[in-house]
Amino acid sequence: MEGLIGFASCLLCALPFFIIGVFDKNSSTPISFWSGDQTLKDKVLYVAEYNRRMGKVFVKWGTGFLAAGLCCFISLAAGIGMLCVICSFGTYAAYKSYQKILADCSIPGHMQEQHK
């Protein structure tokens, strides 16, 4: 029973990432990494490319949560371990991807000014 609860919990975590990754990739406004970030409109020059790449990041992140949920069926300890990895290293990897995508798709010179 605990495996089913673990799977359901992970699925609920994955769902928003899949929704953002699939439906917002075609949006006319940039997908924000941080909730409520309104500054991207002024930073991102190539919105379509930025959203396409960020959509992939969010789908990969959601897939990680889904995989952790499937691991919960095999072993609850393995599923929880995988969740710890996704919530720490996965978040770090997603953030680094976000930084690279933002640098590639931002207004030239903007990222250099930000780091000064």
Side-chain angles (χ1 to χ4, degrees), residues 26-37:
N26 298 320
S27 175
S28 61
T29 59
I31 297 172
S32 63
F33 185 80
W34 305 108
S35 179
D37 184 4

Side-chain angles (χ1 to χ4, degrees), residues 40-46 102-112:
L40 288 176
K41 294 176 188 173
D42 299 330
K43 295 178 187 175
V44 177
L45 181 62
Y46 308 107
L102 184 59
D104 292 347
C105 299
S106 69
I107 297 169
H110 175 74
M111 294 307 289
Q112 290 79 14

Side-chain angles (χ1 to χ4, degrees), residues 76-91:
L76 187 60
I80 291 172
M82 192 165 182
L83 272 175
C84 290
V85 170
I86 292 165
C87 290
S88 56
F89 298 112
T91 301

Side-chain angles (χ1 to χ4, degrees), residues 48-65:
E49 176 67 12
Y50 171 85
N51 281 351
R52 184 186 65 76
R53 291 172 63 184
M54 283 302 292
K56 287 181 181 180
V57 169
F58 276 90
V59 167
K60 286 178 185 176
W61 215 350
T63 302
F65 279 105

